[in-house]
Amino acid sequence: MGEQSSEAVRKNAQKRTKATKKASAPESCLALVRRARRINRELAEVYPYAHPELDFRDSFELLVATVLSAQTTDLRVNQTTPALFAKYPTPEDMAAAVPEELEEIIRPTGFFRAKARSLIGLSTALRDRFGSEVPGRLEDLVTLPGVGRKTANVVLGNAFGVPGITVDTHFGRLVRRWKWTAEEDPEKVEAVVCDLFPKSEWTMLSHRVIFHGRRICHARRPACGACPIAPLCPAYGEGETDPEKARKLLKYEMGGYPGQRLAPPPDYPGRPAAPLATGDGDADGETV
């Protein structure tokens, strides 16, 4: 799944060489918009099944899972939340949780004491201020303990259908590699990228970029030689350019491995992840 033929890789390399020769002049704003939108179109073809990689059944579960995903993998969150939601299925239940018992359940996600405080705090706020319903406005969501713009945009985009850009570590890394922006602050990155795309594209763009960052354009060893958008990437060559070696760096379904979700969407081409085993240590992989 997702492997390119040798011929396709050679053609990409040729395109990349031509693109490098053309890149001597500074890129105009119009050229940047066109290149950014072309990258989005290419990613849409590579990842037509892109989706949020947290398991959830409603807006409350997505909100809780997103808070838990800080400084850990979505896989580890997905392995942890079944037991969590079995014990605390509603905001009322979680607001009344005994902190030590909640901490023990979410311990595998790391920073479990701080996360437990956030979960109890946001659940209490939902119960007391929002009738135990997750609000569908960003200005309300960011008032909840532990909820910032990134978490709010995840919930709005995937539970309420409100477009938003999710700037996690993968998204920020890739848009800087692609020279869409040099900004480091997530809110500034969000503002710049929002200006490059129509609002209708924001949520799916976020999924595609994050998928690409997790599967091909890794932080430490990008698989440049297996990258379908190499001809459009100013950072080509930062990672492994040999096609065969690059293919060995591919992760999740692109490399023939399980994904991060225990219950992926029906059209997901990879295998589901395994449940959390008793005594598991820290999850492998890049964090979000």
Side-chain angles (χ1 to χ4, degrees), residues 31-85:
L32 171 60
V33 170
R34 288 175 173 171
R35 182 170 61 84
R37 294 186 180 187
R38 185 177 171 192
I39 286 174
N40 184 40
R41 291 194 298 271
E42 296 282 345
L43 293 180
E45 292 185 10
V46 178
Y47 309 109
Y49 49 86
H51 61 273
E53 294 193 87
L54 291 167
D55 286 326
F56 68 98
R57 295 170 295 186
D58 55 41
S59 57
F60 176 62
E61 290 193 357
L62 178 58
L63 175 61
V64 169
T66 307
V67 170
L68 289 176
S69 70
Q71 301 302 312
T72 190
T73 61
D74 285 357
L75 169 59
R76 182 43 51 94
V77 175
N78 292 336
Q79 292 171 325
T80 303
T81 50
L84 177 67
F85 294 132

Side-chain angles (χ1 to χ4, degrees), residues 15-283:
K15 290 179 183 177
R16 175 65 207 168
T17 301
K18 292 178 182 178
T20 302
K21 291 178 179 178
K22 291 179 181 179
S24 54
E27 188 173 41
S28 68
C29 291
L30 178 59
L32 171 60
V33 170
R34 288 175 173 171
R35 182 170 61 84
R37 294 186 180 187
R38 185 177 171 192
I39 286 174
N40 184 40
R41 291 194 298 271
E42 296 282 345
L43 293 180
E45 292 185 10
V46 178
Y47 309 109
Y49 49 86
H51 61 273
E53 294 193 87
L54 291 167
D55 286 326
F56 68 98
R57 295 170 295 186
D58 55 41
S59 57
F60 176 62
E61 290 193 357
L62 178 58
L63 175 61
V64 169
T66 307
V67 170
L68 289 176
S69 70
Q71 301 302 312
T72 190
T73 61
D74 285 357
L75 169 59
R76 182 43 51 94
V77 175
N78 292 336
Q79 292 171 325
T80 303
T81 50
L84 177 67
F85 294 132
K87 186 162 185 176
Y88 309 110
T90 68
E92 294 96 328
D93 295 319
M94 197 167 287
V98 175
E100 292 77 14
E101 294 178 2
L102 177 57
E103 289 170 6
E104 191 57 33
I105 294 175
I106 66 173
R107 180 184 290 268
T109 68
F111 303 96
F112 56 90
R113 292 189 181 88
K115 290 179 181 179
R117 287 194 297 272
S118 292
L119 294 187
I120 292 174
L122 72 84
S123 297
T124 301
L126 292 177
R127 181 194 65 192
D128 297 346
R129 293 198 281 122
F130 297 102
S132 294
E133 297 290 336
V134 176
R137 301 193 312 162
L138 187 142
E139 54 264 42
D140 292 329
L141 283 167
V142 296
T143 67
L144 301 174
V147 178
R149 288 187 66 90
K150 184 190 86 168
T151 296
N153 279 327
V154 170
V155 174
L156 290 172
N158 297 289
F160 293 97
V162 177
I165 295 288
T166 301
V167 184
D168 70 353
T169 57
H170 302 287
F171 192 96
R173 176 177 75 252
L174 267 62
V175 300
R176 284 187 287 272
R177 279 180 176 167
W178 296 337
K179 306 299 183 186
W180 292 3
T181 180
E183 297 288 354
E184 295 282 346
D185 178 78
E187 288 193 29
K188 292 180 180 179
V189 171
E190 179 186 341
V192 171
V193 177
C194 282
D195 286 341
L196 296 176
F197 295 90
K199 194 172 184 179
S200 60
E201 285 293 309
W202 291 353
T203 299
M204 285 307 302
L205 170 72
S206 299
H207 292 323
R208 293 165 190 151
V209 174
I210 292 169
F211 255 58
H212 193 63
R214 287 174 170 168
R215 285 149 179 78
I216 295 179
C217 195
H218 312 135
R220 287 179 288 276
R221 288 190 71 194
C224 294
C227 181
I229 61 167
L232 301 169
C233 180
Y236 176 82
E238 285 187 12
E240 180 57 67
T241 57
D242 179 85
E244 294 303 319
K245 292 179 180 178
R247 274 195 285 269
K248 293 178 181 178
L249 300 175
L250 300 180
K251 295 184 179 180
Y252 303 114
E253 77 282 357
M254 302 298 284
Y257 303 111
Q260 298 208 78
R261 294 189 68 163
L262 277 66
D267 61 346
Y268 177 67
R271 289 180 283 143
L276 181 65
T278 303
D280 271 5
D282 293 335

